[in-house]
Amino acid sequence: MNAPADLKYSEEHTWVRVENGRARIGITDFAQNELGEIVFVELPEPGAAIRFGEPFGSVESVKTVSELYAPVSGKVVDVNRSLADSPGFVNSDPYGDGWMIVVEIDDASELERLWTADKYARTFGE
């Protein structure tokens, strides 16, 4: 299982990369592996508000549909539009081309609730 050390992780299998007060968000390598081949990604539009722990979108795989839970609260400022045509980026590069949204963080203290890569790997590692 790949869990880069520079990211923060939620129990709901999303990752966060903090960049200048913004959070780039996607799903973890563990999550994409469990879901199988991703065939569709539903994401909010820029300007939408998301709330910590609440659904902000969904991913559909050949196995199931799973909701995506926000690891932070804030306003969506960017969406990975390439996932509409290439949802497989979530499988092939979950921490790169498979990113989902960028959020302007409302409350930076929420980041303290997230896990380190080490804790995530210990909890969900194989």
Side-chain angles (χ1 to χ4, degrees):
M1 176 178 72
N2 182 16
D6 63 324
L7 305 178
K8 295 282 195 176
Y9 300 86
S10 74
E11 292 180 60
E12 291 82 20
H13 309 289
T14 53
W15 58 262
V16 174
R17 177 180 291 119
V18 178
E19 306 166 331
N20 301 317
R22 293 181 170 179
R24 184 173 302 268
I25 298 168
I27 65 168
T28 66
D29 183 47
F30 175 84
Q32 71 77 23
N33 189 55
E34 290 292 305
L35 289 167
E37 182 185 351
I38 304 296
V39 295
F40 183 74
V41 180
E42 180 181 64
L43 298 171
E45 289 298 318
I50 66 170
R51 293 283 160 237
F52 179 89
E54 294 182 8
F56 70 86
S58 63
V59 290
E60 181 178 342
S61 72
V62 294
K63 295 180 184 178
T64 189
V65 176
S66 294
E67 288 191 307
L68 300 166
Y69 292 92
V72 294
S73 299
K75 182 175 82 173
V76 177
V77 294
D78 197 9
V79 175
N80 188 350
R81 301 257 183 233
S82 67
L83 296 181
D85 294 325
S86 303
F89 285 155
V90 175
N91 296 115
S92 64
D93 192 11
Y95 302 114
D97 290 339
W99 68 273
M100 295 180 173
I101 60 175
V102 176
V103 174
E104 200 165 278
I105 301 169
D106 282 348
D107 182 357
S109 71
E110 289 177 341
L111 294 168
E112 296 168 18
R113 298 182 187 179
L114 301 177
W115 294 358
T116 64
D118 186 52
K119 181 173 181 178
Y120 185 81
R122 280 195 325 267
T123 305
F124 296 107
E126 299 163 354

